[in-house]
Amino acid sequence: MMAIFKKEKSQPLIVPQHIAIIMDGNGRWAKKRGLPRTAGHKKGANNFRTISDYMNKIGVKYMTFYAFSTENWKRSKEEVETIMNLFKDYLIEAEQRLLETDMRMIFIGDRSVLRPDLIELMNRIEAASKDNTGAIVNMAINYGGRQEIATACKKIAQKVKAGEIEPEDITEDMISASIYTANQPDPDLIIRPSCEFRLSNFLIWQSAYSEFWFDNVLWPDFTTRDLDRAIHDFSNRQRRFGGVK
Ligand code: IPE
Ligand code: IPE
Ligand code: MG
């Protein structure tokens, strides 16, 4: 069930059950101001806090944020290190906040190659919030959609090898249940700010019938009003899923 969100003096909006955001444009935001790219990442990380709190407030039940892709390792050591340090700051804060929130945190992506201090915090936060019944926040770190599907294929192939299933038994539902977002609905709305019109390897399985919202503003400048605009537009879309309406 999607929540209905009523703002003063405006018509009610249909709030998507699952919103996914590609947090892009941090580097350009900094460059425009003559600042190092790392300053953009700092501002972007703060904006993640603002937007995720707001989404929780208006009743979004599932959120997925793209923070670092499997391709982002191509960047300079300094930039990668800054992003990982900002991620750690967030993890420390999130662990403390778990006491006062009912949100459930899930980290999607291959964490095995991340720093041990990060892995430890991620595992702890996931375990501590696993029985929470509030909104689910998926944070995509070292995430790649192709990598996710390849990993799911390996898991399923192991079951075939063990004689638990036959190749003919493989279904779409089985693949959905073998990826990071198992048991979650697919994203209803995927938002990408910063004037880029591509998925960049984000949720490529899950986005088969997602609605898209591309925005010109850069992620650090993306406000709750911009999110309202996206949701307003989503409210007026007609989703057919291949059928007729
Ligand atoms: C998104 O902002 C953050 C990550 C990819 C980690 P960018 O760093 O890609 O910013 P632009 O696209 O260069 O402006
Ligand atoms: C996608 O942005 C990844 C994240 C926002 C984390 P990129 O900046 O890496 O994507 P491209 O390179 O423009 O496609
Ligand atoms: Mg970018």
Side-chain angles (χ1 to χ4, degrees):
M1 266 299 284
M2 291 187 187
I4 305 286
F5 173 55
K6 177 111 181 68
K7 281 206 122 185
E8 277 171 51
K9 289 193 227 133
S10 64
Q11 65 185 89
L13 298 175
I14 298 167
V15 178
Q17 184 172 217
H18 185 167
I19 298 183
I21 302 186
I22 301 173
M23 302 189 286
D24 192 27
N26 295 348
R28 276 163 282 173
W29 182 91
K31 198 174 170 204
K32 253 171 64 181
R33 287 163 179 76
L35 297 168
R37 291 178 59 84
T38 47
H41 293 309
K42 204 166 179 179
K43 184 83 178 160
N46 282 335
N47 203 32
F48 156 74
R49 291 165 170 88
T50 308
I51 299 293
S52 57
D53 284 350
Y54 182 71
M55 293 213 290
N56 189 39
K57 192 181 107 191
I58 65 173
V60 179
K61 295 284 174 250
Y62 301 84
M63 325 170 189
T64 305
F65 293 92
Y66 203 8
F68 194 85
S69 76
T70 46
E71 289 74 53
N72 287 148
W73 298 105
K74 292 174 187 162
R75 300 180 179 204
S76 75
K77 193 167 170 270
E78 187 205 359
E79 181 167 347
V80 170
E81 216 165 271
T82 301
I83 294 168
M84 294 303 157
N85 288 340
L86 286 166
F87 180 46
K88 183 168 182 178
D89 291 345
Y90 168 70
L91 290 173
I92 292 168
E93 182 189 310
E95 189 172 40
Q96 284 163 355
R97 274 184 69 181
L98 277 182
L99 300 168
E100 58 199 63
T101 159
D102 203 24
M103 292 206 255
R104 182 170 166 202
M105 293 268 345
I106 297 176
F107 300 99
I108 65 173
D110 176 13
R111 75 187 69 173
S112 69
V113 297
L114 299 180
R115 275 169 19 198
D117 56 330
L118 298 177
I119 299 175
E120 199 184 316
L121 274 162
M122 290 160 81
N123 290 343
R124 268 211 319 258
I125 291 170
E126 265 183 0
S129 69
K130 78 173 185 351
D131 296 322
N132 284 357
T133 51
I136 291 190
V137 180
N138 299 301
M139 180 63 91
I141 292 277
N142 192 25
Y143 172 89
R146 290 184 172 180
Q147 184 268 341
E148 175 176 46
I149 294 168
T151 304
C153 290
K154 281 181 210 160
K155 272 195 227 164
I156 295 170
Q158 288 296 346
K159 284 191 188 156
V160 174
K161 194 177 170 195
E164 291 167 32
I165 56 167
E166 295 296 327
E168 300 75 49
D169 298 333
I170 298 170
T171 60
E172 291 179 17
D173 284 347
M174 197 180 285
I175 296 170
S176 292
S178 306
I179 56 178
Y180 295 120
T181 51
N183 302 316
Q184 297 187 40
D186 289 336
D188 300 293
L189 176 63
I190 298 182
I191 296 174
R192 181 163 193 164
S194 85
C195 218
E196 304 291 1
F197 307 100
R198 54 179 173 265
L199 276 174
S200 301
N201 206 8
F202 187 47
L203 303 180
I204 56 175
W205 174 268
Q206 299 89 329
S207 60
Y209 273 103
S210 300
E211 297 293 326
F212 290 91
W213 175 260
F214 295 105
D215 211 318
N216 295 343
V217 294
L218 303 170
W219 170 248
D221 289 330
F222 188 88
T223 62
T224 56
R225 282 180 69 102
D226 295 318
L227 184 68
D228 285 347
R229 281 195 298 123
I231 294 176
H232 186 271
D233 198 81
F234 173 85
S235 293
N236 293 315
R237 306 247 182 118
Q238 200 184 65
R239 302 178 78 188
R240 284 185 288 275
F241 300 97
V244 180
K245 264 197 182 154

